[in-house]
Amino acid sequence: MLPESFFSSLVERVDDVVWVVGCPDFRLEYLNPAAAAVFGRPVRAFEEDSGLWLAIVHPEDRDAIAASHECLLQEGEVERRYRTLRPDGKTVWIHDRAWLMRGGDGAPQRLFGIARDVTMDMAKQQRLHSTLQLHRRFIDSTPDPIFVVDVAPDGTFVFRYNNPAHRQQTGISLEMIRHRTPDALLNPCQAAAVKAHYSECVRLKRPIQYEEHLDLPAGARHWQTLLVPVDNAAGSIIELVGIARDITPLKQAERQSRDAFETLDQLLQASPVVIYECLPTPELIPSYVSPGATCLFGYDRDELLGRPVWQAMIHPDDVAQALDRVDALFAGEGPIQLNYRLRHRDGHYLQVQSEKRLIHDAAGHPHKVVGVILDVTGTHRLNQRLEKLSQQLPGFIYQYLLSPDGTGRFLYASRRSLGIYGATPEALAISDADALGVIHPDDMARVEASIVESADTLSRWHCEYRVRHPEGQELWVEGLATPERLEDGSVLWHGYITDVSERKRLQLELEASEARFRRLATVDMLTGAPNRRCFIDCLEGELERMKRHGGEACLVIFDADHFKRINDSYGHAAGDQVLKALVQVGEQRLRGSDVLGRLGGEEFAILMPETDYPGGLVLAERFRGAVADLMVEAGESVIRVTVSLGMVALRVQDSPDSALERADRMLYRAKALGRNRTCGERDGAYESQGPV
C-alpha cells in the first residue's frame, strides 16, 4: 500500500493546477506549485489575497466566471474555459474543472478543482480557423463557378452561396441567390429539371454529373455541372455543392455544320476556349481552329491549319499519355478528355484541358474529329498551391481505395504521410502495406474492424490508434474519412489523419489523476478500508434501502482494546500494523456483502446488510474471536490484541448519526464490562457476549 505522502508528493509535481477552497468562507486551503508557472504569481500571493484569482481573470470573462461559482454550488460540478492575465502581460487560456464536496449533513464543505494551461490548444484552433479561411478564399478565387444548396428535411432545396466566378458567369448576385429556391430563380420547366437532378443526387448519395440549359440573367447557357452531396454524422444529405462549367461553345460547335463555320467564327471571337476540327487520323491535322488560338498560343491560324503541329507542341513528358488517349478515341471508346501541356510560340508551356469527339458520316465511317481546348493554367497553379497548403497541415490528406478482393492502396496521399506512417505517397499508391504494417499490433484488429464496418454501411470512418513509426517513436493518430462506393464495388474514402499523441497523453494523464483523486476521497490510505465518508455513504444507502424495501441490517462499532498502550509500548509503526491487521481479519472472516470502514484513529465500523439481530451477534463474535487469536509481529516482539464491539439492529427511522450513536453506546458498555466482548442493543435492553 502506497503511503498518503506519495500521492501528496505527486500532486506537488504535476503540471496541472490543483486547488481546494473551503466553504462557506471560500478561504484557499491548498494550491499546488504548478499555479506559479501557470499564473506567473507565487502561491503565497493567492494565500494572502483571496480575491486575487478572480482579479487576474480577463475582464471580458470575469462576470461569467463569477457566475459559474453559483452554478458550482447548485449543480456540484462545472467545466469552464477562460483567459487570465500574467504580470508580464501575456494572456493564458485556462481550462478549469471544479467540483463541490459536501459534508455528512449535505452542506457544502469545500470546492476543489484542476486547471490546465490550454493556450497552445487555442492557438491550434485559431490556426485551423485560418486554414478554413484559406479554403474559403480558394473557393472565392477559383475561376470555376461554384454554388451551395441546402437540403431541408422536407426535401426542399434552397440556395445558400455562389462564388464570384458563378456570380460573374451567371449574372446572379449573392443577394439574388441566397435563401431562394430553384422555382424562384428559373422558369417552371427548368426549375423542375434542376430539382430532379438535385433529388437524384440526394437519393444516390454520391456525386453526379449532368448537362443542362438555363436561362439566366447573363443569358441562356449550356452548363456541365458536377453535383457533390455533403452528409452529416447521421448520414443524411444536408447540402449539395455544385461545380459548373460553361460548355455553351462546345454545344454550339456540335450543332453547327461546316457550312456555318464563318458565322461560328464570328461568334467565337470573344470565347475563352479554342474550338477546332481535325482530320480523322492520329496526327490530328487541323482543318479549322477558332480565333482564340492566336491569343492562346501566339500562332496565326494559317500556321496551324493543314499542318501536323499538335504532337510537336505537346510537352515531351506528356506525349505518350496523350497519344494513348487518341488511340482509345479511334478504337471506339467515345469522347475523351485530356490534361496536358502545350507550348506557346514564345517557348513557355500552358496547362490545357481538351475534349475530343470522333464524328462519323451517314455510313458510319470516321468523318472528322472536333474538340475544344481550354487554358486551365490558372486553375492548375491554384491546385498546386492547394497541394502546398496541404503540406502545412499537421496531418495528411488522402484518398484510400479498398478493392472488392480486399487489396487497398492510397490513390492520393500528401507528403505528410512520411510523418504519420514513415511511408512515401509513391509507395502508398502501390499498396497500403507500409501503412498497415506500422499500426500497433494491439490496435490492428480494431482498426480493421472499423474499416470493414465503414465499408459495409458507408458510414463515416473515425478511429484513434497507435502507430509504431519506423524512426522508433510511438504515435497516437486520429483518422476521419467519408466513404463512397464505386461502380465496380470498390469503396473510396476521402479523409484526413493527424498526430494526436500530445492530446492522448494529456487525456490518459487526466484519467489516471482522476482515478487517484477518487481513491483518495473514499479509501483510508493506511488500512485500505473505506474511510469515514465512504462508510457513512454506505450506511445512508442501506437505511434508504430498508425504507423502500424493508428487511433487516446490523451495525457494529469496534476499536482495539488498550490501543494507546500498544503505541506507547511498541511505537506508532507497530500500532499501524495492528490497525492493518484488524482490516485483514475483517476481509478474511466477514462476508462479501459486509462493509468494514475506518471511522478514525483505532475506531472502526461494520455494516451487515440483510442481517437480523441474532445473525449480527454471531458475525460480530466470529470477528472478535478471530482478532483474539491474532498475533501481530512488531520487530522481535509479538503483539496480542483484542477488540470491544458495540452492535445494534438498524431501524427504519434511523439516521446515520443516530445509528452510530446507539452502536457507540454499546461499545462503551462493552468496555465497561471488561473489554474483549460484544455488547448488543435489542428493544432498549442490552446483552453481552465475550470469551467464556
Side-chain angles (χ1 to χ4, degrees), residues 238-249:
I238 58 173
E239 68 179 24
L240 304 173
V241 179
I243 305 174
R245 176 186 170 197
D246 185 356
I247 58 171
T248 303

Side-chain angles (χ1 to χ4, degrees), residues 2 17 85 148 152 160 186 211 301 312 336 570 605 656:
L2 293 173
V17 177
L85 301 176
V148 180
R160 175 159 52 89
L186 304 170
E211 295 182 1
R301 284 196 285 179
I336 61 171
Y570 300 98

Side-chain angles (χ1 to χ4, degrees), residues 576-588:
D576 289 347
Q577 290 299 114
V578 168
L579 297 180
K580 293 179 183 178
L582 293 178
V583 173
Q584 291 172 356
V585 171
E587 292 174 348
Q588 295 167 0

Side-chain angles (χ1 to χ4, degrees), residues 274-297:
V274 175
I275 297 178
Y276 58 87
E277 179 183 290
C278 298
L279 299 179
T281 62
E283 293 78 16
L284 296 179
I285 299 174
S287 56
Y288 171 78
V289 179
S290 67
T294 301
C295 179
L296 186 59
F297 301 116

Side-chain angles (χ1 to χ4, degrees), residues 263-567:
T263 302
L264 182 61
D265 199 47
Q266 296 174 357
L267 295 174
L268 296 176
Q269 291 288 337
S271 175
V273 300
V274 175
I275 297 178
Y276 58 87
E277 179 183 290
C278 298
L279 299 179
T281 62
E283 293 78 16
L284 296 179
I285 299 174
S287 56
Y288 171 78
V289 179
S290 67
T294 301
C295 179
L296 186 59
F297 301 116
Y299 292 97
D300 291 335
R301 284 196 285 179
D302 292 341
E303 298 178 90
L304 302 174
L305 295 175
R307 301 173 184 271
V309 296
W310 179 66
Q311 294 185 24
M313 295 172 63
I314 299 177
H315 192 285
D317 294 342
D318 299 341
V319 171
Q321 181 183 7
L323 292 181
D324 286 344
R325 298 298 297 143
V326 171
D327 290 342
L329 174 69
F330 287 108
E333 182 176 305
I336 61 171
Q337 290 187 345
L338 297 170
N339 280 280
Y340 55 94
R341 289 163 289 182
L342 279 179
R343 188 183 68 247
H344 191 276
R345 184 178 186 133
D346 64 12
H348 74 273
Y349 283 90
L350 303 171
Q351 188 75 32
V352 300
Q353 180 177 320
S354 175
E355 181 172 322
K356 305 181 189 297
R357 295 174 180 244
L358 179 61
I359 307 300
H360 296 81
D361 59 20
H365 301 121
H367 176 56
K368 59 185 175 181
V369 174
V370 298
V372 295
I373 295 177
L374 177 66
D375 179 10
V376 294
T377 304
T379 301
H380 180 70
R381 289 172 179 168
L382 284 174
N383 289 336
Q384 288 180 321
R385 288 200 290 270
L386 182 59
E387 175 64 23
K388 292 180 180 179
L389 176 62
S390 71
Q391 301 307 315
Q392 306 305 313
L393 299 175
F396 81 98
I397 302 170
Y398 68 91
Q399 286 182 312
Y400 176 71
L401 179 70
L402 183 63
S403 301
D405 62 3
T407 59
R409 63 190 182 94
F410 289 80
L411 295 186
Y412 171 78
S414 66
R415 285 284 164 187
R416 288 291 180 179
S417 61
L418 286 166
I420 298 295
Y421 293 127
T424 64
E426 292 76 16
L428 295 177
I430 299 173
S431 170
D432 59 6
D434 287 349
L436 299 182
V438 296
I439 295 177
H440 196 287
D442 294 344
D443 297 344
M444 189 65 190
R446 180 168 54 83
V447 174
E448 290 179 335
S450 68
I451 294 174
V452 170
E453 181 182 2
S454 178
D456 290 343
T457 62
L458 292 184
S459 59
R460 184 169 179 257
W461 179 71
H462 181 201
C463 191
E464 284 188 1
Y465 53 94
R466 290 165 290 178
V467 169
R468 290 177 170 176
H469 196 277
E471 293 183 358
Q473 67 269 33
E474 182 175 285
L475 309 175
W476 271 98
V477 301
E478 179 181 32
L480 298 166
T482 302
E484 62 171 307
R485 195 174 305 282
L486 306 184
E487 293 182 357
D488 64 354
S490 301
V491 179
L492 179 64
W493 282 269
H494 311 269
Y496 177 74
I497 295 177
T498 187
D499 181 354
V500 294
S501 300
E502 180 63 15
R503 186 189 76 191
K504 198 68 177 181
R505 181 186 68 80
L506 295 174
Q507 175 187 336
L508 295 175
E509 288 181 356
L510 178 59
E511 291 173 355
S513 177
E514 289 176 344
R516 289 194 296 271
F517 277 111
R518 283 194 296 271
R519 179 170 176 80
L520 286 171
T522 60
V523 175
D524 174 54
M525 300 309 297
L526 173 63
T527 64
N531 61 17
R532 182 183 185 91
R533 176 182 177 182
C534 181
F535 184 85
I536 295 298
D537 288 343
C538 294
L539 176 58
E540 188 172 20
E542 182 63 18
L543 290 170
E544 287 295 324
R545 184 195 65 78
M546 291 176 61
K547 291 176 182 178
R548 291 195 302 269
H549 306 294
E552 299 179 270
C554 292
L555 173 66
V556 173
I557 292 182
F558 72 90
D559 66 6
D561 294 331
H562 305 296
F563 186 73
K564 183 177 184 303
R565 186 183 304 168
I566 294 174
N567 278 336

Side-chain angles (χ1 to χ4, degrees), residues 150-212:
D150 286 332
V151 181
D154 62 357
T156 303
F157 302 105
V158 180
F159 292 105
R160 175 159 52 89
Y161 172 79
N162 64 338
N163 72 341
H166 187 277
R167 301 167 203 165
Q168 180 182 5
Q169 296 185 37
T170 63
I172 301 176
S173 66
L174 181 60
E175 291 73 17
M176 294 171 60
I177 199 172
R178 182 179 291 167
H179 307 313
R180 304 288 294 280
T181 64
D183 295 301
L185 289 176
L186 304 170
N187 65 51
C189 182
Q190 293 178 354
V194 165
K195 290 189 291 185
H197 291 308
Y198 294 175
S199 298
E200 180 185 15
C201 186
V202 171
R203 180 179 62 83
L204 296 177
K205 293 187 175 181
R206 61 174 176 80
I208 63 170
Q209 184 170 300
Y210 56 90
E211 295 182 1
E212 59 187 347

